[in-house]
Each structure stands twice: as C-alpha cells, then as structure tokens.
C-alpha cells in the first residue's frame, strides 16, 4: 500500500499563509494524479486541488487564485501553498492519490481517490 504523510499544518491569522507537504512512500511519478482535500468542522470532506503527473493543475472555485498545488516527483512530495487564508479555510487537510483510472484528474471526481494521508490541521483565527 501507498502511505501518504502530511505536514505543515498550524494556526495562522486571517490573511496569513501556510505551505503543506505530503510525502509518499513510493515514487510519486507512479501516483499519476494526486490531490488535496479538506474537511471542516461539521462539514463533509471536499476536494479542491489536483495535479497530474505532467503538472497540470485544477482547482475548485473557492480556492482558485489563493491556493497552489505542486509536486516534486524526485522527492515523492506533494505541496499546497495557501495564501489569503480565511477562517472558513479552517479544516483538516488531506492529501490523496487516485486509484480509479476511469476518471479525469480533477476535484470534480473525488470518488477516484483511494489513498489518503492522516491529515494535518489548519486553523485560521
């Protein structure tokens, strides 16, 4: 099985920024589509950013322009740069890898993701 380990969460003030990392236990080049999800208090987990092996990114509207997903295949690491953080961004953030290949690499297809990290908490207040 693939193991994904997130880090970089913490507490920030509104308008602040954080960068999350996710290290994969196997070569990330073989994890062709990876993504970031989050689950806020009392909310369902939602996908908001994906990146394929060629570096093509897609975002949900609510993070477009504020968050940037990237990957370093040589380091087996996925990143999420978050800027202009707001209290509504408070959530547990998860990285994930796609396991079902009948879906495009996009936050529109969260059902395609089957490997998950344990999550890292981000609090904006």
């Amino acid at each position: 099985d693939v193991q994904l380990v997130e880090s970089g969460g913490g507490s920030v003030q509104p308008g602040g920024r954080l960068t999350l990392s996710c290290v994969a236990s196997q070569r990330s080049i073989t994890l062709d589509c990876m993504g970031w999800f989050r689950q806020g208090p009392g909310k369902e987990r939602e996908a908001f950013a994906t990146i394929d092996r060629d570096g093509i990114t897609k975002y949900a509207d609510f993070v477009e322009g504020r968050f940037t997903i990237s990957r370093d295949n040589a380091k087996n690491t996925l990143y999420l740069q978050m800027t202009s953080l707001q209290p509504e961004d408070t959530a547990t953030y998860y990285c994930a890898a796609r396991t079902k290949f009948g879906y495009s690499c996009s936050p529109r297809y969260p059902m395609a993701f089957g490997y998950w990290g344990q999550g890292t908490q981000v609090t904006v207040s």
Side-chain angles (χ1 to χ4, degrees):
D1 278 352
V2 172
Q3 291 186 333
L4 303 173
V5 180
E6 304 95 336
S7 62
S11 296
V12 296
Q13 294 182 343
R17 58 177 61 197
L18 279 176
T19 297
L20 307 183
S21 300
C22 171
V23 178
S25 62
Q26 73 178 50
R27 290 181 63 205
S28 60
I29 189 67
T30 65
L31 303 173
D32 69 332
C33 174
M34 300 190 73
W36 286 98
F37 290 63
R38 70 184 187 184
Q39 186 169 16
K43 299 180 180 180
E44 294 187 353
R45 187 166 57 188
E46 58 186 356
F48 61 85
T50 57
I51 184 168
D52 71 12
R53 71 171 70 198
D54 296 320
I56 296 173
T57 58
K58 294 182 180 179
Y59 298 93
D61 289 345
F62 58 87
V63 301
E64 184 81 54
R66 298 190 301 127
F67 293 6
T68 302
I69 187 172
S70 62
R71 65 194 293 169
D72 185 335
N73 291 331
K75 295 182 179 180
N76 298 340
T77 302
L78 181 72
Y79 301 99
L80 181 70
Q81 295 176 289
M82 303 185 291
T83 64
S84 301
L85 284 162
Q86 299 302 317
E88 53 265 34
D89 295 316
T90 294
T92 301
Y93 284 70
Y94 301 89
C95 70
R98 185 177 67 175
T99 54
K100 297 180 181 178
F101 298 96
Y103 298 91
S104 296
C105 186
S106 168
R108 293 186 177 185
Y109 304 106
M111 69 290 288
F113 291 80
Y115 293 129
W116 299 91
Q118 83 290 347
T120 187
Q121 179 67 35
V122 172
T123 302
V124 186
S125 65

